[in-house]
Amino acid sequence: MQPRRQRTIARPAEFHGFGFLTGADVTLRFLPAEENHGIAFQRIDLPGTPPIPATLEYVVPRQRRTAISNGVASVELIEHVMAALAGLQIDNCLVQLNAPEAPGADGSSLDFVKTLLEADFTEQSALRDVLVIGDAYSVRGDDDRSEISAGPVFRRTLVVSYELDYGPRSPIKPQLLTFEFSPETFVTGLAYARTFILETEITALKSQGYGSRVTPADLLIFGTDGVIGNQLRAADECVRHKILDCIGDFALLGCDVHGHFRAYRSGHNLNHAICRMVSVARSPLHLLKTPA
Ligand SMILES: [Zn+2]
């Protein structure tokens, strides 16, 4: 497969919402960017602070989400925005926002995808770098109950297999899905899949002052008998969301990646860890560079 050309959006586009964690109203503005710019987030509520590149080097440790910081500004919960950009293969974009957290929207990437599709795309001259995974890598979670590995794939593409199993007493049933990435399969198969949380977890978060505006209509909240006050969009929506998270987190590599990732209960921190492994290991032989 030949490297593809980089893309940006044809015109600015906006989305309004509120942050699931902080509850802050936020306007997210997507702006076109020149080739080789990559994705960067800029806090316009902190005037004068530079954009934060959305790459592994700027990721800061967080629980159950992806956040980036350049030391003077940070942005929380970028993963569903990143997934929308990566899913549509928009490589160069400046994302401005006026709050510390990206909008939660409906808990999926769907609203960001719709906003970006309305902005349309422009193909640029430079080719997109591709990291081709040639070796095998693996990383386990500290609790030894989660794992993600990466290895070569014969077809020059990105494949993610995800197994979700929270045990026999969990209201979230075991799910396994193998997903072969393309913009088309992303839009039809992943973009709509919403984030999920247990009722006990959201209760604990609210007692700590987080998630005050979140209701069962905003995302999937699982009680002991299943989803509360909402309906699944697909029987395997949860595993689809976990793969959506992977697509957003893998985009922190700043290039396309061709390989087969196999994840078992992996979350954002493990996703970042496997990306760091394949990133450090990449050599000129593995990276199809843009011709001069
Ligand atoms: Zn997510």
Side-chain angles (χ1 to χ4, degrees):
M1 183 187 286
Q2 292 299 309
R4 61 181 180 82
R5 294 196 181 280
Q6 294 179 19
R7 302 208 295 181
T8 186
I9 46 175
R11 61 187 78 89
E14 270 186 16
F15 179 80
H16 309 272
F18 71 90
F20 279 175
L21 207 59
T22 59
D25 285 314
V26 54
T27 296
L28 192 88
R29 192 166 161 79
F30 295 104
L31 297 165
E34 68 273 17
E35 54 190 35
N36 298 316
H37 174 280
I39 308 298
F41 287 71
Q42 187 171 32
R43 290 275 303 274
I44 60 169
D45 57 319
L46 301 175
T49 56
I52 313 163
T55 58
L56 288 170
E57 294 78 8
Y58 292 87
V59 169
V60 284
R62 293 287 190 271
Q63 291 289 321
R64 300 184 53 147
R65 63 185 185 276
T66 295
I68 50 173
S69 172
N70 58 8
V72 290
S74 59
V75 181
E76 307 290 327
L77 272 155
I78 64 167
E79 58 265 28
H80 304 158
V81 178
M82 289 295 288
L85 289 161
L88 296 173
Q89 292 185 324
I90 297 166
D91 312 298
N92 302 307
C93 185
L94 178 61
V95 185
Q96 292 183 329
L97 70 172
N98 60 351
E101 180 186 356
D106 71 348
S108 76
S109 291
L110 195 57
D111 287 321
F112 307 124
V113 164
K114 286 179 181 169
T115 303
L116 290 165
L117 286 173
E118 282 171 18
D120 210 354
F121 315 123
T122 301
E123 197 162 84
Q124 297 169 297
S125 307
L127 299 178
R128 178 71 162 168
D129 286 343
V130 182
L131 170 61
V132 180
I133 296 179
D135 299 311
Y137 308 91
S138 182
V139 58
R140 280 186 167 220
D142 293 336
D143 59 1
D144 232 23
R145 293 165 60 201
S146 53
E147 183 173 1
I148 187 165
S149 64
V153 64
F154 181 72
R155 290 156 62 77
R156 285 291 184 87
T157 186
L158 168 62
V159 178
V160 183
S161 297
Y162 196 104
E163 184 178 3
L164 176 158
D165 187 351
Y166 300 126
R169 284 199 292 274
S170 174
I172 303 168
K173 299 301 165 216
Q175 297 166 32
L176 170 64
L177 183 69
T178 291
F179 175 84
E180 182 175 338
F181 174 82
S182 73
E184 293 75 23
T185 56
F186 177 84
V187 169
T188 57
L190 294 189
Y192 67 79
R194 292 163 293 175
T195 192
F196 55 93
I197 191 165
L198 294 175
E199 186 180 24
T200 50
E201 294 171 323
I202 191 87
T203 303
L205 279 173
K206 290 196 180 205
S207 71
Q208 295 163 25
Y210 296 114
S212 57
R213 287 177 72 177
V214 170
T215 72
D218 296 314
L219 45 71
L220 296 175
I221 299 175
F222 281 86
T224 48
D225 297 325
V227 180
I228 299 170
N230 213 322
Q231 284 196 319
L232 290 172
R233 292 173 175 169
D236 59 355
E237 184 171 356
C238 293
V239 74
R240 288 177 187 273
H241 183 81
K242 297 301 281 188
I243 298 175
L244 180 154
D245 278 342
C246 287
I247 301 295
D249 286 335
F250 298 166
L252 296 163
L253 285 163
C255 62
D256 286 358
V257 58
H258 290 171
H260 190 167
F261 290 81
R262 293 176 175 85
Y264 173 71
R265 294 177 53 144
S266 176
H268 295 291
N269 290 333
L270 274 192
N271 295 347
H272 304 153
I274 195 75
C275 285
R276 287 195 183 94
M277 288 181 86
V278 301
S279 173
V280 167
R282 73 183 179 191
S283 71
L285 278 177
H286 292 156
L287 190 65
L288 302 179
K289 292 295 292 181
T290 303

